[in-house]
Amino acid sequence: MKNFVTAVLLIFLLQVLPVSATVKVMPTLIELDANKSRGNYLTTSFSVQADKNETVRFKLYPEYFTITDEGKMDSKPVSESADNLISHARFVPNEFTLKNGIPQIVRVTFTDLKSLPDGESRMVMFIEDVAAKEILLPNANKNLNTRLVVKTRLGIPIYVDKGRFVKIGNFDDLKIEKNNKNLVYKMDLSAKGNSKVRYHGKAQVIKDNQLIKEFPVNSNTIRANGIFTERGMLPDNLQAGDYIFKVILTYKNEKGENKNLIKEVSFHVDNSI
């Protein structure tokens, strides 16, 4: 009798990313302003679509989450936090089958908004396979088969801002450091107020008042009253000399206005080292 080794692969896709080669969710992030509602409730929706050649059944369930100082999502099945949206959420359907490439619309309603605290409340809506898929992998050992059990879980973060909420981003520090023979930048950011700050932006390398290089920096989320540190590589093959490294970040405040965070630092390249 052949022995079987089973490996379990659980795919988590919780940020604003393409969610799968065969399953598409739109939008991948939902942000709502309760102050714009006409009543004590809000409604929204999202669509889930599979490849036209696939038939797959999904179930839906929400979890509360927090944002770590690394900008990651930390989900919790149970939480008594006041900014937990789960008890306010109603969604239809909670289980469905995708086939023939036809998208499924899921409608979500948030009720009793007045009881939410001022600021940001949140949850993540998980979309998970009802049945796991099994893939038999080839193995050089004829007496040992490897079976891969694949279970897909997609997550859509949902935020609701309510009452007096504030989004203030700060660019606290920018440094250039050496990592072996490479130069890396380190930027320290923080957010004040009671709602997250999500930023995007670009970095520039300047020499003798001339732009030498320009590249995008990673977009990230800073939790309310939180800190965040980002590190990245500077372009290589820079000639010896003095440079300025400049970072320009943009985020939207509570009024929907674009705000810039700009900081620059001088550094020197010595190719003899």
Side-chain angles (χ1 to χ4, degrees):
M1 179 181 296
K2 293 183 178 181
N3 295 320
F4 284 87
V5 175
T6 302
V8 179
L9 175 64
L10 186 59
I11 304 172
F12 294 96
L13 297 162
L14 307 180
Q15 306 297 330
V16 187
L17 297 170
V19 294
S20 175
T22 57
V23 179
K24 180 172 66 175
V25 174
M26 289 295 295
T28 54
L29 169 72
I30 296 176
E31 296 176 296
L32 303 171
D33 186 346
N35 296 336
K36 295 181 179 179
S37 67
R38 295 184 177 181
N40 197 22
Y41 66 94
L42 277 173
T43 59
T44 188
S45 65
F46 59 89
S47 67
V48 187
Q49 184 177 14
D51 186 83
K52 63 181 180 180
N53 298 319
E54 252 195 306
T55 297
V56 58
R57 189 162 183 81
F58 283 106
K59 61 181 179 180
L60 277 69
Y61 58 92
E63 288 188 5
Y64 175 70
F65 74 93
T66 57
I67 302 171
T68 69
D69 287 342
E70 292 74 36
K72 306 298 183 182
M73 178 182 292
D74 182 15
S75 63
K76 299 174 174 61
V78 178
S79 174
E80 298 298 326
S81 178
D83 57 3
N84 186 349
L85 277 175
I86 293 177
S87 64
H88 299 263
R90 306 290 183 270
F91 50 96
V92 178
N94 58 12
E95 193 170 313
F96 54 83
T97 300
L98 298 178
K99 59 182 178 179
N100 301 325
I102 300 174
Q104 172 69 54
I105 303 298
V106 178
R107 305 192 184 280
V108 186
T109 299
F110 295 100
T111 60
D112 193 21
L113 299 178
K114 292 180 180 179
S115 66
L116 289 174
D118 281 1
E120 174 191 286
S121 298
R122 73 199 80 82
M123 74 178 202
V124 54
M125 180 67 77
F126 281 120
I127 307 161
E128 184 176 303
D129 286 343
V130 171
K133 300 177 182 178
E134 293 189 5
I135 302 174
L136 189 63
L137 300 179
N139 197 306
N141 187 342
K142 295 182 179 180
N143 295 318
L144 183 65
N145 287 333
T146 302
R147 185 175 55 194
L148 184 67
V149 180
V150 181
K151 195 172 184 63
T152 303
R153 185 167 83 156
L154 319 177
I156 305 176
I158 303 179
Y159 300 88
V160 173
D161 284 314
K162 176 245 179 182
R164 294 174 59 87
F165 64 93
V166 179
K167 300 173 181 280
I168 301 176
N170 292 311
F171 205 141
D172 299 319
D173 196 18
L174 179 64
K175 293 179 180 179
I176 303 296
E177 302 173 342
K178 284 188 177 180
N179 182 5
N180 295 323
K181 293 184 178 181
N182 299 315
L183 291 174
V184 300
Y185 65 88
K186 175 177 176 287
M187 55 184 191
D188 294 323
L189 309 169
S190 61
K192 306 300 180 185
N194 55 4
S195 185
K196 72 190 178 308
V197 168
R198 180 176 292 107
Y199 70 85
H200 64 277
K202 61 184 178 181
Q204 298 176 334
V205 178
I206 301 167
K207 186 175 188 293
D208 298 329
N209 295 319
Q210 299 294 317
L211 180 62
I212 304 300
K213 301 278 187 179
E214 183 174 276
F215 57 93
V217 298
N218 294 327
S219 297
N220 278 297
T221 300
I222 313 169
R223 64 178 176 83
N225 279 318
I227 60 174
F228 181 76
T229 298
E230 172 78 4
R231 286 181 172 84
M233 299 287 294
L234 264 67
D236 54 10
N237 300 323
L238 294 176
Q239 297 179 357
D242 295 317
Y243 293 84
I244 292 175
F245 182 67
K246 184 176 183 178
V247 178
I248 305 167
L249 305 177
T250 302
Y251 73 94
K252 289 186 181 296
N253 67 4
E254 66 277 3
K255 297 178 182 179
E257 303 167 334
N258 285 328
K259 294 293 182 178
N260 291 328
L261 301 174
I262 303 173
K263 194 171 282 290
E264 60 183 48
V265 62
S266 299
F267 69 100
H268 179 76
V269 174
D270 187 350
N271 291 335
S272 64
I273 299 177

